[in-house]
Amino acid sequence: MRITSQSRIQLRVATAVFTLLAIVITGLLMWLTQIYQTHWDLTRSGRNSLSEASITLLNKLDKPLTITAYASNTGGQRETIKKFIASFSHHKADISLEFVDPNTDPQRTRDAGIQFDGEIVISYENSKETLNSLTEEEMTNALTRLGHRGERWLLFIAGHGERSPVRQANYDLSNWAEQLSKKGFKTRTLQLGENPQIPNNTTALIISAPQSRYLPGEIKAISKFIDQGGNLLWLGDPGDLLGLEPLSEQLGIEFQKGVVVDPLSQVITGSATAVVVANFPKHVITENLSHQTLFPSITGLDFSKSNGWLAKPILDSREAAWLEMDNLKGKSEFNKGRDIRGPITTGFAMTRKIDGNPEQRVVVIGDGDFLSNTYLLNGGNLDLGLSIINWISRDDDFVSIPARTVVDANLSLSGLEQIIIAAIFMVILPLGLIVSGIVVWWRRRKQ
């Protein structure tokens, strides 16, 4: 090809145009990355991105969120905070972040009650929460507390061997109470034998599987609380009601005799009475439960009369299950004419409207084990427990927000696996390098 002065000019023009287009395209791509940010989280549980629970919560906070970070301008701490808050700002645009240097503004730091460099204060409307740890769980729990209105007291009846929100025994409820505390609920026990008055600021009363009989005066105090519009969670167990029959009559709920047996669940759990529930009746409490729940020993319930109540089932057994009326010894079999064929309703959510009061809410479940320390983290038990309490306390916006469990945060290795890994990195690889070095040295020497 013959090169002329004209072709040189055309080549230079083409090169200049190509360079200009490359610059423009690069600039456009950089501009687009500032507007549209995309990332991929390849961890099994997605722990490096916000969970659906956190995103749902952010969508329910309809007012601006102000975050003040008290962090010194050294060590890259501010950049870490910016990245952490950015994951939340991506889903809620009206989050503002301000930095305060404790070294240059000590008075403001003291007024805010800051104790450590790196603490952040979250403000929403007229409420504030202080965060010491930059984790999604801590942040989401703080936002949940900010989203709630006022104090919410949960009173656990005590004095009859009930499951305790304080004690650490396997059958107690201390782990559940700890989770409730993180969500902004305040828990305490109440012995009606010492103080027969239930405080007026009680959000909900909780009766959890008593082991000894209630006295008539105690029943009278609970009945009065219900008559005045109080909310109740009643976690029963198969067996005697131990003096709570008047409460059962007042609510129109009958605890059936016997225990639910599910042969399909037995294949999974190894126990005839351990019932796995994976499908739930339609209700706001259960509509977003995505994990199956486990009930170690549960009885059936029947709604006999209204007394002004509207009752909806929230837990049902499978059709293959039945209500066993005999003592379980050996292989369990359905006895026609004695046992009751499933599906068996084992949980009710009840509402009633009393003039001048908000909607009254009651949940009755035929098992108290599923929220105990032993079984709380089985499947969706924790999510169901939190959802029930949110619904009873009328926090409807938070009913469908489940707890999040990170399943791949820790690496668990067996003893054999640890030995194999140690052998590879501490013996085989070093020996391989030594041998290869000797071989190379020997070949070069021979040359």
Side-chain angles (χ1 to χ4, degrees):
M1 177 179 177
R2 183 181 178 184
I3 299 177
T4 64
S5 58
Q6 185 177 2
S7 63
R8 287 194 183 95
I9 294 174
Q10 291 176 344
L11 180 62
R12 288 174 182 174
V13 171
T15 302
V17 171
F18 176 80
T19 303
L20 180 61
L21 287 174
I23 294 173
V24 171
I25 292 173
T26 302
L28 286 173
L29 289 174
M30 293 177 64
W31 175 70
L32 288 174
T33 60
Q34 298 298 317
I35 299 178
Y36 304 102
Q37 298 185 13
T38 302
H39 68 279
W40 292 270
D41 186 357
L42 302 180
T43 58
R44 180 180 173 189
S45 62
R47 69 173 181 269
N48 292 325
S49 56
L50 292 190
S51 65
E52 287 299 323
S54 297
I55 295 172
T56 301
L57 174 61
L58 288 171
N59 291 334
K60 293 182 183 300
L61 299 177
D62 54 358
K63 300 294 191 301
L65 198 65
T66 302
I67 298 176
T68 306
Y70 293 82
S72 56
N73 197 15
T74 57
Q77 188 170 215
R78 291 192 173 189
E79 193 62 31
T80 301
I81 295 174
K82 283 181 182 178
K83 290 181 179 179
F84 175 72
I85 300 301
S87 62
F88 290 84
S89 300
H90 181 70
H91 300 281
K92 182 174 172 60
D94 55 353
I95 294 180
S96 61
L97 174 62
E98 177 190 7
F99 283 99
V100 175
D101 192 334
N103 299 319
T104 59
D105 199 345
Q107 185 59 48
R108 184 176 176 183
T109 304
R110 285 192 295 269
D111 292 342
I114 301 300
Q115 298 181 350
F116 306 101
D117 189 6
E119 285 188 66
I120 66 176
V121 176
I122 310 167
S123 302
Y124 182 74
E125 294 190 300
N126 297 321
S127 301
K128 294 183 179 181
E129 286 282 338
T130 301
L131 208 63
N132 300 317
S133 172
L134 294 182
T135 65
E136 181 188 352
E137 180 183 7
E138 294 295 329
M139 181 73 165
T140 301
N141 285 334
L143 294 177
T144 301
R145 292 191 293 270
L146 289 171
H148 289 303
R149 300 292 187 269
E151 291 187 343
R152 297 165 302 152
W153 283 96
L154 303 176
L155 261 60
F156 290 74
I157 298 295
H160 314 86
E162 291 92 345
R163 304 177 193 277
S164 170
V166 179
R167 296 192 303 261
Q168 304 295 320
N170 290 339
Y171 54 81
D172 283 320
L173 305 173
S174 55
N175 291 344
W176 183 47
E178 181 181 354
Q179 293 296 324
L180 292 172
S181 177
K182 290 180 179 179
K183 302 301 181 184
F185 291 96
K186 296 183 178 180
T187 61
R188 56 166 289 192
T189 59
L190 175 66
Q191 294 199 29
L192 293 173
E194 295 181 356
N195 183 6
Q197 298 295 326
I198 299 176
N200 294 329
N201 65 342
T202 301
T203 302
L205 194 67
I206 299 176
I207 301 174
S208 179
Q211 301 300 307
S212 61
R213 188 166 293 275
Y214 278 69
L215 299 174
E218 295 174 317
I219 297 298
K220 183 178 180 181
I222 297 174
S223 178
K224 181 180 178 182
F225 175 77
I226 299 298
D227 283 338
Q228 293 176 345
N231 301 321
L232 172 71
L233 171 59
W234 186 357
L235 301 173
D237 271 337
D240 194 344
L241 290 183
L242 299 171
L244 289 170
E245 290 84 358
L247 179 61
S248 174
E249 179 75 16
Q250 183 179 10
L251 297 174
I253 289 288
E254 177 188 353
F255 280 75
Q256 297 175 311
K257 294 181 179 180
V259 60
V260 176
V261 170
D262 185 350
L264 297 178
S265 295
Q266 185 176 6
V267 176
I268 302 172
T269 64
S271 171
T273 62
V275 177
V276 175
V277 178
N279 298 307
F280 304 89
K282 187 176 181 181
H283 192 275
V284 65
I285 290 176
T286 58
E287 64 181 355
N288 286 318
L289 292 181
S290 57
H291 300 286
Q292 62 189 17
T293 53
L294 173 65
F295 299 88
S297 180
I298 192 166
T299 189
L301 302 175
D302 187 27
F303 184 65
S304 56
K305 58 181 181 179
S306 69
N307 290 343
W309 294 100
L310 175 63
K312 294 183 178 180
I314 58 172
L315 294 173
D316 282 333
S317 74
R318 296 185 180 96
E319 289 187 5
W322 67 84
L323 197 61
E324 177 67 47
M325 296 299 180
D326 297 320
N327 292 327
L328 289 171
K329 293 182 180 179
K331 185 178 179 181
S332 58
E333 294 181 349
F334 176 74
N335 297 313
K336 187 176 181 181
R338 178 167 177 78
D339 298 334
I340 301 175
R341 175 67 71 182
I344 307 296
T345 298
T346 55
F348 278 104
M350 306 167 57
T351 58
R352 183 173 67 171
K353 189 66 178 178
I354 299 178
D355 293 341
N357 292 322
E359 182 182 66
Q360 185 178 13
R361 297 182 175 184
V362 170
V363 170
V364 184
I365 296 177
D367 177 37
D369 278 320
F370 81 102
L371 293 176
S372 66
N373 295 338
T374 300
Y375 299 102
L376 181 66
L377 296 182
N378 278 270
N381 286 18
L382 174 58
D383 288 342
L384 176 59
L386 294 176
S387 186
I388 288 172
I389 289 298
N390 280 325
W391 183 78
I392 285 180
S393 61
R394 305 187 190 94
D395 286 327
D396 292 346
D397 286 342
F398 299 90
V399 170
S400 61
I401 300 177
R404 187 188 192 192
T405 302
V406 177
V407 297
D408 62 345
N410 298 310
L411 177 64
S412 298
L413 299 174
S414 66
L416 178 60
E417 291 170 335
Q418 294 180 37
I419 292 173
I420 293 174
I421 292 175
I424 291 173
F425 286 97
M426 299 179 65
V427 179
I428 297 175
L429 284 180
L431 282 177
L433 291 173
I434 292 172
V435 170
S436 62
I438 292 174
V439 170
V440 171
W441 171 78
W442 181 256
R443 286 181 176 178
R444 288 180 178 178
R445 184 180 180 184
K446 288 181 68 176
Q447 293 177 354

